[in-house]
Amino acid sequence: MHPVFMPDFTPRIEQQPAPEGVRLRVLGQWTAAQFAQPRLLKALRAGLAGTSVRQAWDLREAEQLDHVGAQLLWDQWGRQWPPKLELLPQQKAVLERVARFTVAAPRPRKTTWMGSFLALGAWVLHAGDHFKSFVRLIGQLALNLGTLARAPHEGPWRDFTGHIYRIGATALPITALVGFLIGVVLAYLTSQQLRQFGADAYIVNILGIALIRELGPMLAAILIAGRSGSAITAQIGVMRVTDELDAMRVMGISHSFRLVMPRAMALAVAMPLISVWTTLCALAGGMLAADVSLGITPTFFLNALPQAVSIGNLGLATSKSVVFGVLIALIGCHFGLRVQPNTQSLGEGTTASVVSSITVVILVDALFAVLFKEVGI
Amino acid sequence: MVDIRKLWSVFETPEKRFVVHQDLDLTVQRGEVLSIVGGSGSGKTVLLRQILGLETPTKGEIFVLGQPVGQLGRKGAASRIGMLFQHGALFSAFSVLENIAFPLRELKTLPSALVREAAMVKLQMVGLKPEDGDKMPADLSGGMIKRAALARALIMDPPLLLLDEPTAGLDPDSSDGFVTLLRSLHRELELTVIMVTHDLDTLFELSTRIAVVADRHVIVAAPPKDVIAFQHPFIHDFFLGERGQRAMELLREYPFAV
């Protein structure tokens, strides 16, 4: 039944005629490493299928029998000792251990209506818990800012400046690139439409309003949410995994004062600056594309821009960015502080943090658009 | 089982060059429990990592089970060598049973019922209860983490087991329990064990041979009694200090052969 070219230690069963009936000889290496070969286990099980525990078994010629191999035999025997069994003492010890420790598989849990209902309830409570702890985080931040106002010299200023550099300064190249390209694309697309109506000069209005009031702050916020929001969650999450958060609490240092507040403040300062920078780059890109596709000179563009965009838009864009920054920091910290000490939770927390901060940025942007629709236009 | 020849380990930083091992030779025979001791920074853990193939020596050769160490990392490495890391290194996203079953499951050829049963047997062999299988590593005590990690290291019955500080961070009771477990497993499974430890109790209770790493090579590798008799300042400080005297009591109580 087995081809001759197979090496000698392939696990196999051979039937040998004997006076008392058929005798089953277990041969080869019955080890997990051997079972790893593809299709071998299937063939072996096919060979085992015809055997029964009441036949005579001879294990003495097997080269090696490890616990996985013994488990396979034991299961084949229906978890009982064959009445006629010949084996070496060492094999006996392995089989005895397997026999002693094999336990019945637990029954698979069925999903019931009640179970699904309870799971839904648990999910709602979980969401409520998230909301509660987020509100608590905001409250704690307000209290901490009060503390800081009373004793400014005790503030974590080194952290604050460090975060401004890491979150703000190092994000300048990527935000510039993305802003510039979006400006170019937007200008090209609108210029094609505007040329049909001969309304070439209005490209300044469209680009000005769209980029300064909406796209600039929004693009910057989404980029920073992806870049720094995830970093904040991962940093704080790793501190949880390595017990650093507990160490901090034992020293009597508040997490929110030392970890959350500097990040929130840094983002509140850095976010409007990045947003202005992104807007400027996008306008530069738009200006270039307008010059190429419509022949609108940069001089005209710059002269027309102040008339097209009222000053209120700038204030709106900046205040929006401050809110985005604080929200990104708070969401990052919120998910970071909720990380459980294991790698899976860290990954989930980081993903959840980025997804929710981008969602929240877009939601809040829509809210601003509705609330301030009278401003500027 | 393990053959180390003329091993050099050199670490370079921009300012300085550290020679950790210089012409280090070491041989481990089948069935031994070899402990590697040495002062901190003497490169014990580096040596262990080199035997595992996690680090490449600057010069020299390491043969494990007759093969160059570079070929160990291939598929099914768990059937050749088992390693118990100092902090267990359990996968925190998996339950205990999934952790133990992981090397078997990764073979992709074994049916999952068999994998589960084999893992359950190993789980109980190291003294854990079947209920512990569903727990997550974060919920375990230090001793249980070590036991679960040991079960995972042994899942494919490797002939060679490496231990890095097996009893570090355990309280004396669980430390004793773990040493007893290691000793019985060594006997039952006919393991060859190489361990790095600072704990003199563990050292004397388990080792059949002790290799002392000092002055960048193995100064002596011999049964414990001969090692203590060897004249070297490090051995004098390490074994014959006050701490050593206390542990030495064990020498009179326990026979060395395991």
Side-chain angles (χ1 to χ4, degrees):
Chain A
M1 117 182 219
H2 288 275
V4 271
F5 60 82
M6 274 202 179
D8 210 12
F9 40 77
T10 308
R12 60 198 184 274
I13 297 254
E14 273 178 18
Q15 307 207 347
Q16 192 186 42
E20 69 270 17
V22 178
R23 196 171 136 99
L24 295 160
R25 287 162 71 213
V26 175
L27 299 170
Q29 291 183 342
W30 285 63
T31 61
Q34 287 290 338
F35 297 153
Q37 296 172 29
R39 289 184 297 284
L40 189 143
L41 198 64
K42 212 173 173 186
L44 193 61
R45 290 196 139 187
L48 279 170
T51 64
S52 117
V53 66
R54 273 180 290 283
Q55 281 168 294
W57 290 79
D58 184 0
L59 271 62
R60 286 170 302 177
E61 285 164 86
E63 266 195 46
Q64 208 183 337
L65 179 75
D66 77 352
H67 287 84
V68 178
Q71 186 81 53
L72 191 70
L73 279 177
W74 185 249
D75 287 352
Q76 180 60 34
W77 292 338
R79 300 189 180 161
Q80 48 179 313
W81 292 97
K84 279 172 276 180
L85 176 67
E86 285 172 282
L87 74 181
L88 305 173
Q90 192 190 336
Q91 296 169 333
K92 188 163 197 260
V94 172
L95 271 166
E96 269 172 357
R97 267 197 295 278
V98 168
R100 194 167 122 219
F101 291 135
T102 298
V103 290
R107 249 183 246 162
R109 266 167 265 160
K110 275 192 201 155
T111 48
T112 60
W113 283 106
M114 194 58 190
S116 322
F117 178 70
L118 290 178
L120 178 72
W123 184 82
V124 169
L125 286 179
H126 185 71
D129 189 42
H130 261 288
F131 184 72
K132 203 170 90 183
S133 69
F134 189 68
V135 169
R136 186 177 292 162
L137 197 68
I138 296 175
Q140 192 68 45
L141 180 68
L143 290 177
N144 285 330
L145 286 173
T147 318
L148 185 70
R150 258 174 278 134
H153 58 279
E154 285 178 8
W157 297 112
R158 272 179 66 89
D159 280 23
F160 172 69
T161 49
H163 289 310
I164 287 201
Y165 173 74
R166 258 197 307 271
I167 295 168
T170 57
L172 292 180
I174 184 70
T175 47
L177 179 72
V178 172
F180 183 83
L181 291 177
I182 291 284
V184 169
V185 170
L186 196 65
Y188 261 115
L189 290 179
T190 44
S191 68
Q192 285 175 358
Q193 304 298 319
L194 290 175
R195 204 180 304 139
Q196 291 177 11
F197 303 107
D200 295 11
Y202 282 99
I203 195 164
V204 182
N205 297 47
I206 292 178
L207 284 182
I209 292 292
L211 290 176
I212 292 175
R213 183 167 160 150
E214 274 306 318
L215 280 178
M218 180 99 134
L219 270 180
I222 288 176
L223 281 173
I224 294 299
R227 193 176 173 278
S228 303
S230 58
I232 289 173
T233 309
Q235 279 166 359
I236 298 182
V238 169
M239 291 180 79
R240 163 76 72 210
V241 174
T242 54
D243 288 342
E244 288 169 57
L245 288 182
D246 294 340
M248 218 171 199
R249 177 163 286 163
V250 170
M251 292 176 213
I253 298 165
S254 147
H255 294 162
S256 59
F257 189 76
R258 204 64 180 70
L259 296 175
V260 181
M261 190 179 66
R263 286 176 169 82
M265 279 164 48
L267 265 168
V269 173
M271 197 65 238
L273 296 174
I274 296 172
S275 141
V276 167
W277 165 257
T278 313
T279 309
L280 285 177
C281 293
L283 281 176
M287 201 158 71
L288 192 76
D291 191 13
V292 172
S293 63
L294 292 175
I296 289 178
T297 60
T299 327
F300 175 80
F301 194 100
L302 291 177
N303 281 330
L305 196 58
Q307 287 148 32
V309 185
S310 66
I311 201 78
N313 284 311
L314 290 180
L316 178 65
T318 312
S319 53
K320 209 154 75 168
S321 293
V322 174
V323 175
F324 289 164
V326 174
L327 282 175
I328 291 169
L330 284 177
I331 290 172
C333 293
H334 167 77
F335 282 102
L337 289 169
R338 284 179 73 97
V339 164
Q340 304 294 314
N342 63 62
T343 48
Q344 177 134 22
S345 165
L346 185 61
E348 281 169 2
T350 313
T351 311
S353 153
V354 173
V355 172
S356 8
S357 53
I358 290 178
T359 315
V360 165
V361 162
I362 293 172
L363 280 179
V364 171
D365 189 62
L367 196 69
F368 265 90
V370 173
L371 287 179
F372 295 92
K373 62 174 184 275
E374 305 301 325
V375 177
I377 305 166
Chain B
M1 295 295 274
V2 176
D3 197 3
I4 301 174
R5 291 180 208 150
K6 299 270 170 261
L7 179 86
W8 281 69
S9 310
V10 181
F11 291 99
E12 289 188 52
T13 59
E15 302 95 51
K16 240 186 131 183
R17 188 163 174 268
F18 297 99
V19 179
V20 179
H21 302 133
Q22 187 176 357
D23 282 336
L24 183 143
D25 293 303
L26 185 66
T27 313
V28 185
Q29 307 295 335
R30 183 174 289 274
E32 276 192 315
V33 180
L34 178 87
S35 298
I36 303 173
V37 299
S40 32
S42 63
K44 305 178 296 285
T45 305
V46 173
L47 195 60
L48 211 57
R49 290 174 64 84
Q50 284 168 342
I51 295 174
L52 287 163
L54 293 172
E55 275 176 36
T56 318
T58 318
K59 253 196 278 178
E61 291 171 312
I62 301 179
F63 291 93
V64 178
L65 309 176
Q67 288 179 325
V69 77
Q71 297 181 5
L72 274 175
R74 289 174 320 195
K75 206 177 169 199
S79 66
R80 295 185 279 277
I81 194 161
M83 169 73 187
L84 174 64
F85 287 91
Q86 187 173 354
H87 302 290
L90 292 177
F91 304 117
S92 57
F94 290 169
S95 74
V96 170
L97 196 68
E98 286 167 338
N99 258 293
I100 298 173
F102 186 70
L104 280 185
R105 195 151 282 161
E106 282 305 291
L107 295 175
K108 306 281 186 201
T109 51
L110 297 177
S112 62
L114 183 68
V115 168
R116 216 195 73 86
E117 284 173 350
M120 216 36 150
V121 167
K122 285 281 160 30
L123 177 86
Q124 295 173 80
M125 261 173 68
V126 298
L128 295 173
K129 290 193 226 35
E131 309 84 273
D132 296 331
D134 290 332
K135 289 185 184 159
M136 297 307 281
D139 305 329
L140 299 183
S141 67
M144 287 164 84
I145 287 177
K146 294 263 182 173
R147 281 168 192 263
L150 184 65
R152 186 180 67 179
L154 292 176
I155 184 67
M156 284 177 82
D157 291 328
L160 181 63
L161 178 66
L162 270 60
L163 311 169
D164 189 5
E165 299 278 3
T167 52
L170 298 184
D171 64 85
D173 258 359
S174 25
S175 171
D176 285 350
F178 197 66
V179 167
T180 314
L181 172 71
L182 282 174
R183 190 182 327 165
S184 67
L185 287 176
H186 169 241
R187 194 170 38 213
E188 287 172 18
L189 304 180
E190 293 165 18
L191 290 169
T192 306
V193 180
I194 304 176
M195 68 173 171
V196 164
T197 185
H198 276 120
D199 183 19
L200 288 169
D201 293 350
T202 316
L203 193 67
F204 285 129
E205 281 191 46
L206 283 179
S207 318
T208 56
R209 216 151 64 95
I210 298 177
V212 182
V213 182
D215 304 334
R216 297 194 284 281
H217 62 278
V218 176
I219 52 170
V220 58
K225 277 195 175 127
D226 300 344
V227 168
I228 294 162
F230 191 81
Q231 288 300 316
H232 188 277
F234 172 76
I235 291 180
H236 193 266
D237 291 349
F238 192 80
F239 292 107
L240 304 178
E242 195 190 328
R243 193 167 49 105
Q245 292 294 350
R246 252 181 289 135
M248 209 78 86
E249 297 292 316
L250 289 164
L251 272 182
R252 279 159 228 138
E253 286 172 40
Y254 294 92
F256 278 113
V258 180

